Amino acid sequence: VRYMWETLNDMSQNELRLFLHFVWGRSRLPPDGSPKWAEGFKVVSQTTTSDPDQWLPTAHTCFFQLDLPAYSSKEVCKQRILFAIEHCVSLG
């Protein structure tokens, strides 16, 4: 999870918008105090049956949740997150 936060810290504003759209399905966060926040943003360790570096993160936009594999390095984490946010979005 630390690699994810470091990756987010290094992202451009456009990449952060793509990340938000990937995990939330929207381009903006809800206002403070909104019931849409529910339990806030959750990061869950994604269990994999093989090398986690080969897996992409999975988003659950209805729950504002990211399932994140246990990547071996920050570089792998950054590559996988960037690929996911740029290529794996199906919501309009």
Side-chain angles (χ1 to χ4, degrees), residues 77-90:
C77 182
K78 183 176 183 176
Q79 289 172 352
R80 295 323 226 167
I81 289 174
L82 288 174
F83 185 89
I85 68 175
E86 292 171 358
H87 301 286
C88 302
V89 178
S90 62

Side-chain angles (χ1 to χ4, degrees), residues 4 23 37-44 62-67:
M4 181 204 70
V23 297
W37 269 111
E39 297 177 28
F41 177 54
K42 296 178 289 271
V43 180
V44 176
C62 292
F63 303 107
F64 200 17
Q65 177 178 314
L66 182 70
D67 295 350

Side-chain angles (χ1 to χ4, degrees), residues 18-33:
L18 291 173
F19 178 81
L20 185 60
H21 191 261
F22 179 73
V23 297
W24 180 235
R26 296 170 176 85
S27 59
R28 298 179 190 199
L29 290 172
D32 285 340

Side-chain angles (χ1 to χ4, degrees), residues 8 10 12 14 20 27-28 30 34 39 41 49 55 60 65 69-70 72-73 75-78 81 86 91:
L8 290 176
D10 294 343
S12 69
N14 187 55
L20 185 60
S27 59
R28 298 179 190 199
S34 169
E39 297 177 28
F41 177 54
T49 56
W55 290 72
H60 303 278
Q65 177 178 314
S72 63
S73 69
E75 292 75 28
V76 171
C77 182
K78 183 176 183 176
I81 289 174
E86 292 171 358
L91 297 174

